[in-house]
């Protein structure tokens, strides 16, 4: 009787080991497929937005850009103005630090933005495109107004569109900056 019991335990143990091995293989295959899917998604985003391979800040941007254009293999070079400003949204109910990015043209050759709702920005436009995660978090839509505090007075601007921007993929300014939760950025 004890031998039969030992055989049953060995069979159950072997069955459990086989089930664990099969589960592990299935998990590996699923994760591997997920990694491939993420890689493909990132590559599509890279191509669609002409994501910059290199971003340089500071210094004489115009001179640097002119030199970079003459380097073999460089497909496109653009400069843009950026700044961090105080931004009020929701009729002043929420204040946050916003990153303002100037676009060199309506369709830049590097780091293109994608409009999800509203209208594309036109050259010389004084309205803004709000990145979709920020728009969702603060319930902003085309036609809404935001206020910016720059060097001078507070300026009110209209939201022309919500969209996606390659620059948003940098969630922290540096490794020292703490990443915050969705409701506090």
């Amino acid at each position: 009787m004890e031998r039969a019991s030992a055989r049953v335990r060995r069979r159950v143990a072997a069955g459990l080991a086989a089930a664990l091995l099969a589960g592990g293989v299935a998990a590996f295959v699923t994760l591997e497929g997920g990694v491939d899917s993420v890689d493909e998604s990132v590559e599509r985003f890279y191509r669609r937005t002409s994501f910059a391979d290199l971003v340089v800040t500071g210094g004489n941007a115009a001179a640097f850009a002119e030199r970079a254009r003459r380097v073999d293999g460089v497909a496109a070079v653009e400069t843009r103005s950026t700044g961090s400003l105080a931004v009020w949204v929701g009729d002043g109910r929420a204040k946050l630090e916003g990153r303002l990015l100037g676009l060199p043209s309506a369709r830049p050759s590097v780091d293109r933005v994608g409009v999800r709702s509203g209208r594309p920005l036109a050259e010389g436009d004084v309205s803004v495109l709000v990145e979709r995660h920020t728009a969702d978090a603060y319930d902003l839509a085309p036609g809404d107004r935001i206020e910016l505090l720059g060097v001078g007075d507070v300026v009110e601007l209209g939201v022309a569109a919500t969209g996606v921007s390659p620059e948003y993929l940098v969630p922290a300014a540096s490794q020292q900056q703490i990443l915050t939760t969705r409701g506090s950025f």
Side-chain angles (χ1 to χ4, degrees):
M1 186 131 172
E2 199 158 314
R3 286 186 180 171
S5 172
R7 272 188 252 136
V8 169
R9 282 195 303 267
R10 279 195 301 272
R11 285 183 184 157
V12 168
L16 287 174
L20 284 173
L21 179 62
V25 169
F28 175 78
V29 168
T30 300
L31 287 173
E32 188 66 24
V35 167
D36 289 344
S37 179
V38 168
D39 286 346
E40 290 170 18
S41 179
V42 167
E43 186 59 34
R44 276 193 312 275
F45 184 78
Y46 188 89
R47 283 190 310 271
R48 187 177 76 236
T49 63
S50 293
F51 195 88
D53 292 317
L54 177 67
V55 175
V56 179
T57 59
N60 184 339
F64 182 87
E66 189 53 43
R67 284 180 149 163
R69 284 184 183 95
R70 294 189 298 240
V71 173
D72 286 340
V74 172
V77 175
E78 288 185 341
T79 61
R80 49 185 79 179
S81 301
T82 64
S84 293
L85 305 169
V87 179
W88 289 269
V89 298
D91 294 324
R93 288 188 311 270
K95 180 181 176 186
L96 56 135
E97 179 179 344
R99 186 162 180 225
L100 188 66
L101 301 168
L103 294 177
S105 68
R107 182 133 170 103
S109 59
V110 177
D111 284 348
R112 293 185 199 127
V113 296
V115 173
R116 293 181 57 110
S117 67
R119 63 172 176 77
L121 297 177
E123 200 127 354
D125 207 335
V126 289
S127 49
V128 296
L129 178 144
V130 178
E131 200 284 327
R132 74 177 177 101
H133 294 95
T134 304
D136 290 346
Y138 292 99
D139 198 27
L140 294 170
D144 289 344
R145 310 289 293 168
I146 63 170
E147 294 177 304
L148 305 172
L149 175 60
V151 179
D153 293 329
V154 173
V155 176
E156 187 175 328
L157 296 175
V159 175
T162 64
V164 294
S165 168
E167 282 90 354
Y168 185 77
L169 295 179
V170 182
S174 70
Q175 290 180 348
Q176 289 76 33
Q177 184 176 1
I178 296 172
L179 296 177
T180 60
T181 61
R182 173 184 167 126
S184 62
F185 66 86

